[in-house]
Amino acid sequence: METFSSIECFVRSAEVGSFAEAARRLSLTPAAVGKSVAKLEVRLGVRLFQRSTRRLTLTEAGQLFLSEVSGSLTTIQNAVNNLASAGGQPAGTLKVSMGTVFGRLYIVPLLGEFLTRFPAINPDWHFDNRQVDLIGQGFDAAIGGGFELPQGVVARRLTPAHRVLVASADYLDRYAPISEPDDLKLHDGILIRSPQTGRVRSWQLTHRTRQHSPLTLKARMTMSDSEAACATAAQGLGIALVSMPFAVGYLEAGTLQRVLPDWYVDDGNISIYYAEHKLLPGKTRAFVDFVIEQFSTLGLAERFNAQNVLASR
C-alpha cells in the first residue's frame, strides 16, 4: 500500500507539474508528497523528476514510468471506488463542467431525478463557457460543444449544435421580406463573440438541401452569450445568430421568429465528455448514462435540430 501511495503521488505530481498542487488534490502536505516520491525514486533506483523552484519536469525514466503506470493506477482506483460505493451503488463527489446558461436550462432541472436514483453521489458542478482540462483539472465529465478532443478523452453525442437566425416580429415588419441569404447584408446583426478566442467567427449557412452560403449580416453589435443575444433580438434591435438550445424557448413562445427558416449553421454536436478508462467510475458512468437517457426521453435532440418543423416556426 505504501508503494501504491507513492505511485499515486508521482502520477498526480507529473500531471500538474507541482508537488504543491498534487498535494492539494490528494489532501496531503507538499512535504509528504515530495517525500513519498523521493522514496519511490530510491526504491526504483532512478530519478523521476528534474526539480526546480518553479516546476517539476519528468526525466526520460520518469516519462517511461508514467506511461507504464498511469492507466493501471486509474483502473485500480476506479475498481476500489466502485466496490466501496454505498450499498453497491455509485457514490462519491461528481465534478462536472458545463456551460452556464445551457447547464441552468437543461441539466440542473434533471438534478432531482438524478439524486433520487443515486442518493450517494454528491454533485460538484462548475458552470463556465470555456473548455476545461478534463483530466488535468480533475473533472469527471463535461458537457459542451465545439471542443477539441484531447488524448484520453471520449465524447458521447447528445444533440446537434445548430445555430439559427432569429428576430422579433416587430423588427421583421419594418423591412421587406428576407427570402435569401444575400438579403441579410443590409440588416443589423447581433453576432456572437467566442468566449475562447474573443473573435467573431465567419459562419457559413447550410440549406436543408445541403447548399451553402456565407453569412453576410452587418455587425451592429456583438455578444458573448446566445441567451443575451436572444433577449436583445426580442427587443427588435436586429437579427441574431444563436444556438438552438437558447433560441427554442423564444421560438416556442412566439417572442422570436426564424429568419430564413430553411437555413442554419451546422456547428457540430453538443456532447458529454469524460476520460477514457478501462473501468469507468460508477458515479461517472451513472451520470453519463442518465444524461443520455434524459435527452432521449425528453426529446431534446429533436427540439434542438434546426431542420425540424417545430424549430422552424
Side-chain angles (χ1 to χ4, degrees), residues 147-167:
F147 292 165
E148 294 181 7
L149 206 59
Q151 185 176 3
V153 174
V154 296
R156 296 278 299 278
R157 177 181 179 274
L158 296 175
T159 173
H162 288 166
R163 297 173 184 263
V164 294
L165 294 161
V166 296

Side-chain angles (χ1 to χ4, degrees), residues 12-13 35 38 43 115 147 165-166 182 215 233 270 277-278 282 286 298 302:
R12 301 303 167 229
S13 299
K35 184 177 180 180
R43 187 173 295 112
L115 292 181
F147 292 165
L165 294 161
V166 296
D182 194 53
L215 177 63
I270 297 173
H277 296 310
K278 293 180 180 178
L298 299 174
E302 288 74 22

Side-chain angles (χ1 to χ4, degrees), residues 121-203:
I121 293 179
N122 301 315
D124 177 15
W125 289 3
H126 298 243
F127 298 87
D128 194 340
N129 293 326
R130 297 178 182 273
Q131 181 176 0
V132 297
D133 181 353
L134 195 74
I135 297 174
Q137 295 178 260
F139 283 94
D140 295 296
I143 298 174
F147 292 165
E148 294 181 7
L149 206 59
Q151 185 176 3
V153 174
V154 296
R156 296 278 299 278
R157 177 181 179 274
L158 296 175
T159 173
H162 288 166
R163 297 173 184 263
V164 294
L165 294 161
V166 296
S168 69
D170 174 63
Y171 179 89
L172 295 174
D173 287 343
R174 300 200 306 266
Y175 296 93
I178 302 170
S179 58
E180 58 184 48
D182 194 53
D183 294 335
L184 295 170
K185 63 185 178 184
L186 300 177
H187 286 268
D188 291 336
I190 304 167
L191 304 183
I192 301 297
R193 184 181 301 279
S194 169
Q196 284 80 28
T197 66
R199 296 193 298 269
V200 177
R201 287 177 56 182
S202 297
W203 298 100

Side-chain angles (χ1 to χ4, degrees), residues 44-273:
L44 296 175
V46 296
R47 181 175 291 278
L48 299 172
F49 289 113
Q50 296 290 352
R51 295 158 172 82
S52 71
T53 56
R54 292 188 176 182
R55 188 170 179 82
L56 296 173
T57 303
L58 284 167
T59 63
E60 185 176 350
Q63 292 174 344
L64 177 61
F65 188 62
L66 180 65
S67 68
E68 294 286 344
V69 302
S70 58
S72 298
L73 174 68
T74 301
T75 300
I76 293 170
Q77 288 178 319
N78 290 343
V80 171
N81 291 335
N82 288 341
L83 286 175
S85 297
Q89 295 297 312
T93 299
L94 180 71
K95 186 176 179 181
V96 181
S97 172
M98 65 192 79
T100 304
V101 179
F102 184 85
R104 177 175 60 79
L105 290 177
Y106 299 109
I107 306 301
V108 171
L110 307 179
L111 184 57
E113 174 63 23
F114 180 70
L115 292 181
T116 297
R117 296 193 198 180
F118 308 105
I121 293 179
N122 301 315
D124 177 15
W125 289 3
H126 298 243
F127 298 87
D128 194 340
N129 293 326
R130 297 178 182 273
Q131 181 176 0
V132 297
D133 181 353
L134 195 74
I135 297 174
Q137 295 178 260
F139 283 94
D140 295 296
I143 298 174
F147 292 165
E148 294 181 7
L149 206 59
Q151 185 176 3
V153 174
V154 296
R156 296 278 299 278
R157 177 181 179 274
L158 296 175
T159 173
H162 288 166
R163 297 173 184 263
V164 294
L165 294 161
V166 296
S168 69
D170 174 63
Y171 179 89
L172 295 174
D173 287 343
R174 300 200 306 266
Y175 296 93
I178 302 170
S179 58
E180 58 184 48
D182 194 53
D183 294 335
L184 295 170
K185 63 185 178 184
L186 300 177
H187 286 268
D188 291 336
I190 304 167
L191 304 183
I192 301 297
R193 184 181 301 279
S194 169
Q196 284 80 28
T197 66
R199 296 193 298 269
V200 177
R201 287 177 56 182
S202 297
W203 298 100
Q204 179 172 253
L205 294 171
T206 299
H207 192 269
R208 292 175 184 275
T209 60
R210 307 310 295 175
Q211 296 171 266
H212 299 290
S213 176
L215 177 63
T216 57
L217 264 179
K218 180 177 60 178
R220 178 67 176 85
M221 63 188 79
T222 58
M223 304 276 170
S224 64
D225 177 75
S226 281
E227 172 69 13
C230 286
T232 302
Q235 298 177 55
L237 299 178
I239 298 175
L241 177 69
V242 295
S243 298
M244 272 300 296
F246 306 110
V248 69
Y250 289 86
L251 295 172
E252 292 171 349
T255 311
L256 291 174
Q257 298 179 14
R258 286 281 298 273
V259 177
L260 296 174
D262 288 331
W263 295 84
Y264 63 97
V265 170
D266 186 348
D267 198 24
N269 298 303
I270 297 173
S271 301
I272 185 165
Y273 300 81

